[in-house]
Amino acid sequence: MSKPVAYSVKAYSAASATSPLAPASIQRREPTDRDVQIEILYCGVCHSDIHFARNEWHFTQYPAVPGHEIVGRVKRVGPKVTKFKPGDIAGVGCMVDADLSCPFCRAGEEQFSPTHVQTYGSTERHIGGPTFGGYSENIVVNEHFALRIPANLNLPAVAPLLCAGITTYSPLRHWQVGPGKKVGIVGLGGLGHMGVKFARAFGAHVVVFTTSPAKKPDALRLGAHDVIVSRQPEEMKAQAGTFDFILDCVSAEHDLNAYLAMLKVDGNLTIVGAPEKPLPVAVFSLIMGRRSFSGSMIGGIRETQEMLDFCGQHGITSDIEMIRMDQINEAYARMLKSDVKYRFVIDMASLKS
Ligand code: NAP
Ligand code: ZN
């Protein structure tokens, strides 16, 4: 197979772990047989973008272009594409390619496939170099990884569903959160606020754990039945041993044992937050009460489509604050202070102007 031709695209990138994001030019491939080229209209800002741009997970290649909560309009399609036509609205999350032949891909869990290519931070299989994310004019992805967007939803507020949405929906479904279950959501940021909306929509009793007392009214408005300020020991003590399931969405170092102690016998804490440094778990937090501790990474494409359709049926989107591309460094600084309500979304038209 001959190498596809590359073309230049405007983007925002980090040149090193310590540089702010700045305008840049990157290369994309011309669409191959099964590719769709999507003009990016909106891109959500995930905390993973910050970990990645700053090399906190120790695999970043520079220049680094973050962004994996993408919605846009299909501009061109390869000759074998059947799922989309030019003019359609499409979404792209954290994955853009895989050979689709392994057991994980066949089971609809592409996120575990050894061949899956991440939207940013992987190697581009056609033209080489790193893959570049959604802080850019357009993107080219295998049609399998492009999602259909329910027409009734507000498009900018849909973008965060492509990562924050599926990352919380998937473990809540996997652990069968629903009526009769008491569920804790730790950290009311981009992921956490979607976790609250889904857990409530699934019929669970929802409790938010936050370090930010000022977020209490919002937590209740978003769907929580109760809010615990995790820095208040008395509030924490009163809840010990009462939770069936806890979803930990925290981006920084914190005490896991304080949350494991909240679980009932046989309760589970699933972590989706991915802080830079390891978090110590005291074995007695688990042994006492046969509790379990697990993790979860985004979700497969089939489940991502299911989540989007569920959001269409139930009118669920993200609570967003729209920014211009040139406000991205300020947005990162605010996210690091837990000051986001509850997802920044970049209006990508601002990259052109
Ligand atoms: P975010 O919007 O910045 O929210 C993180 C929240 O964590 C903050 O709003 C804050 O909530 C809480 N927090 C921050 N620092 C804290 C600290 N020192 N102690 C306790 N709580 C603290 O981040 P996000 O985009 O939701 O992402 C959260 C994490 O999930 C990141 O690490 C990200 O990389 C990871 N992630 C993982 C996956 C996956 O597939 N597993 C996918 C996407 C993202 P309060 O103010 O309520 O305390
Ligand atoms: Zn993300």
Side-chain angles (χ1 to χ4, degrees):
M1 200 172 72
S2 63
K3 200 170 156 177
V5 178
Y7 64 95
S8 297
V9 174
K10 276 192 200 170
Y12 250 60
S13 76
S16 78
T18 52
S19 12
L21 273 79
S25 174
I26 54 159
Q27 299 279 294
R28 301 272 189 212
R29 67 175 179 275
E30 289 288 344
T32 64
D33 281 357
R34 294 209 181 276
D35 284 338
V36 292
Q37 183 198 53
I38 299 167
E39 177 194 11
I40 301 173
L41 298 175
Y42 303 102
C43 184
V45 182
C46 180
H47 207 113
S48 299
D49 297 356
I50 305 181
H51 295 307
F52 170 70
R54 300 184 175 187
N55 198 23
E56 291 173 358
W57 295 332
H58 313 291
F59 69 80
T60 307
Q61 303 175 61
Y62 293 95
V65 178
H68 58 203
E69 294 185 336
I70 297 166
V71 289
R73 191 179 302 281
V74 174
K75 292 301 265 188
R76 289 157 61 204
V77 300
K80 295 191 179 155
V81 168
T82 56
K83 202 168 156 186
F84 294 95
K85 58 180 187 329
D88 288 349
I89 294 293
V92 177
C94 303
M95 300 182 283
V96 289
D97 208 352
D99 71 17
L100 302 177
S101 63
C102 81
F104 295 110
C105 287
R106 289 204 302 273
E109 299 210 296
E110 300 87 345
Q111 73 275 30
F112 304 129
S113 165
T115 68
H116 88 270
V117 176
Q118 297 189 355
T119 307
Y120 56 76
S122 286
T123 297
E124 218 281 4
R125 300 204 306 179
H126 302 268
I127 56 171
T131 53
F132 296 121
Y135 298 181
S136 58
E137 285 175 288
N138 61 50
I139 191 163
V140 177
V141 310
N142 180 307
E143 63 170 331
H144 179 80
F145 293 89
L147 284 304
R148 292 190 203 85
I149 307 297
N152 60 320
L153 300 177
N154 175 33
L155 200 54
V158 166
L161 302 178
L162 276 306
C163 175
I166 184 59
T167 302
T168 51
Y169 182 95
S170 182
L172 291 169
R173 283 297 198 211
H174 181 81
W175 291 92
Q176 298 174 348
V177 161
K181 296 280 175 71
K182 184 171 173 183
V183 173
I185 305 288
V186 188
L188 198 64
L191 266 58
H193 94 292
M194 290 312 308
V196 171
K197 292 188 186 205
F198 286 133
R200 181 65 188 250
F202 297 166
H205 182 87
V206 186
V207 180
V208 165
F209 291 94
T210 180
T211 59
S212 311
K215 290 182 184 172
K216 217 167 175 170
D218 281 345
L220 297 170
R221 176 181 56 78
L222 292 164
H225 295 90
D226 206 353
V227 187
I228 306 300
V229 177
S230 52
R231 288 181 177 148
Q232 295 292 341
E234 290 309 311
E235 287 190 36
M236 291 291 276
K237 218 166 145 191
Q239 299 280 334
T242 65
F243 284 81
D244 296 285
F245 179 76
I246 295 177
L247 188 65
D248 183 331
C249 305
V250 175
S251 52
E253 250 176 298
H254 59 292
D255 180 15
L256 279 178
N257 302 294
Y259 297 102
L260 290 168
M262 298 292 139
L263 295 172
K264 288 179 181 168
V265 170
D266 285 329
N268 171 272
L269 184 149
T270 290
I271 191 159
V272 286
E276 179 181 8
K277 299 208 175 80
L279 302 174
V281 172
V283 293
F284 282 101
S285 300
L286 298 171
I287 292 173
M288 308 293 282
R290 199 167 50 201
R291 297 165 174 140
S292 66
F293 172 45
S294 56
S296 188
M297 188 174 81
I298 47 172
I301 293 300
R302 189 187 303 153
E303 195 174 38
T304 305
Q305 191 63 60
E306 175 192 306
M307 178 273 308
L308 287 165
D309 295 344
F310 181 89
C311 288
Q313 282 149 21
H314 296 262
I316 294 174
T317 51
S318 177
D319 285 31
I320 64 164
E321 182 176 335
M322 193 95 88
I323 58 167
R324 295 190 315 270
M325 188 70 256
D326 63 8
Q327 292 176 304
I328 189 67
N329 295 302
E330 200 185 312
Y332 279 12
R334 280 184 53 193
M335 284 166 76
L336 290 166
K337 290 190 288 185
S338 302
D339 176 22
V340 51
K341 291 183 176 165
Y342 279 86
R343 196 56 135 189
F344 291 114
V345 171
I346 310 161
D347 179 354
M348 295 310 305
S350 64
L351 180 61
K352 291 185 185 136
S353 56

